[in-house]
Amino acid sequence: MVGDVVGKPGLKAVREFVPKLRTELKLDLVIANGENTANGIGMTPDTVQDLYGSGVDVITSGNHAWSKREIIPYPESELPLIRPMNYPPGVPGHGYTFCKGALVVNIMGRVFMPSVDDPFRALDGLLEEVGHRTKVVIVDAHTEATSEIGALGWYFDGRVSAVLGTHTHIGTTDGRVLPKGTAFISDIGMAGPRDSVIGNVPEDVLKRFMTQLYSPLGVADGPVIFSSVLLDIDANTGKAKSIQRIDREAP
Ligand SMILES: [Fe+2]
Ligand SMILES: [Fe+2]
């Protein structure tokens, strides 16, 4: 799974590395978080097609799922494009999808995030409803706080194959398999411009922090980083055997 893909630099990194890694590592399923593909905020039909064209099987998202309105009809179709399942009822799209024998779920945290429904109970409910259909369950947990993602990991340990953090755009080094067999990491990190503040032009971000005035944020350019994790999951039991960071950089 690749973390948040940020703008054109992120799409470029995915195009560069996903096809190679698919062959090199004999990948069965590739997931990427697409919420920042459209110029840093949201997704468009073009940016999601770019990801599919690069060999991504399932696209997850987060708080920026609907930031570009032209994407809204998309997830109503059968495309493997999902948004956090714990948005309130009536929000467009779906919170999970089945792909290549796996159930891929998107949830969102509530600490320093939009006030969505309780992610713990929302995923409990989903597992009760459709969990019997497959042992392999991969969760993109879109969260800001390491405390909340950590709690989600331990709560679902042994009941899902992986709880993988996205949203902060900064990869963490705490990837491990929890005692009951759930692969966990606080954040995968992004695919996007290296010389940036979470993908954005540093000067733009500084202007906001130092004046507290609104100013638009541009996606940075230059060298790209590609942040992902490789999971080995036993398809018969759904237990994770390993989780390993796969990080790359390109000029
Ligand atoms: Fe993001
Ligand atoms: Fe996000």
Side-chain angles (χ1 to χ4, degrees):
M1 174 161 179
V2 189
D4 299 45
V5 179
V6 182
K8 287 201 171 78
L11 290 169
K12 180 185 146 186
V14 169
R15 260 197 311 275
E16 165 102 17
F17 293 112
V18 166
K20 277 188 214 163
L21 290 170
R22 276 212 91 117
T23 322
E24 211 177 285
L25 302 170
K26 299 188 179 67
L27 303 177
D28 296 311
L29 174 68
V30 177
I31 307 166
N33 187 303
E35 73 153 9
N36 305 106
T37 46
N39 210 17
I41 298 175
M43 309 177 274
T44 66
D46 283 350
T47 66
V48 302
Q49 286 306 337
D50 199 318
L51 288 178
Y52 293 138
S54 302
V56 170
D57 299 304
V58 176
I59 300 174
T60 57
S61 61
N63 53 308
H64 291 306
W66 310 133
S67 297
K68 298 279 189 289
R69 300 197 64 80
E70 60 265 44
I71 195 65
I72 291 179
Y74 254 58
E76 289 299 343
S77 66
E78 291 306 302
L79 285 175
L81 169 59
I82 57 175
R83 47 83 173 154
M85 62 164 298
N86 51 324
Y87 267 114
V91 168
H94 307 286
Y96 66 93
T97 187
F98 287 92
C99 186
K100 301 188 178 175
L103 167 61
V104 183
V105 188
N106 204 179
I107 58 174
M108 187 154 68
R110 295 185 294 184
V111 179
F112 306 126
M113 299 290 283
S115 307
V116 288
D117 295 343
D118 179 347
F120 296 85
R121 291 179 179 90
L123 185 50
D124 271 343
L126 184 74
L127 294 175
E128 214 161 281
E129 194 188 320
V130 300
H132 61 278
R133 288 174 56 185
T134 176
K135 293 272 187 211
V136 180
V137 182
I138 299 167
V139 181
D140 174 342
H142 203 70
T143 48
E144 178 77 37
T146 46
S147 58
E148 192 175 26
I149 177 80
L152 284 163
W154 282 90
Y155 185 69
F156 289 105
D157 184 23
R159 295 196 284 148
V160 301
S161 309
V163 173
L164 308 172
T166 60
H167 176 70
T168 73
H169 297 196
I170 303 299
T172 60
T173 54
D174 59 342
R176 60 173 287 205
V177 178
L178 296 174
K180 293 177 185 162
T182 295
F184 172 82
I185 193 164
S186 290
D187 205 295
I188 299 170
M190 69 171 173
R194 182 194 66 187
D195 297 335
S196 69
V197 177
I198 66 169
N200 297 120
V201 177
E203 290 74 19
D204 295 354
V205 177
L206 275 169
K207 216 180 276 174
R208 271 201 199 182
F209 274 110
M210 299 189 72
T211 64
Q212 297 302 318
L213 296 174
Y214 173 80
S215 61
L217 301 178
V219 172
D221 51 22
V224 292
I225 55 168
F226 174 89
S227 311
S228 68
V229 290
L230 173 66
L231 304 171
D232 186 7
I233 296 167
D234 184 329
N236 294 316
T237 62
K239 306 282 183 206
K241 292 193 260 186
S242 65
I243 174 169
Q244 186 192 333
R245 294 203 60 87
I246 305 285
D247 295 313
R248 296 282 187 274
E249 201 171 313

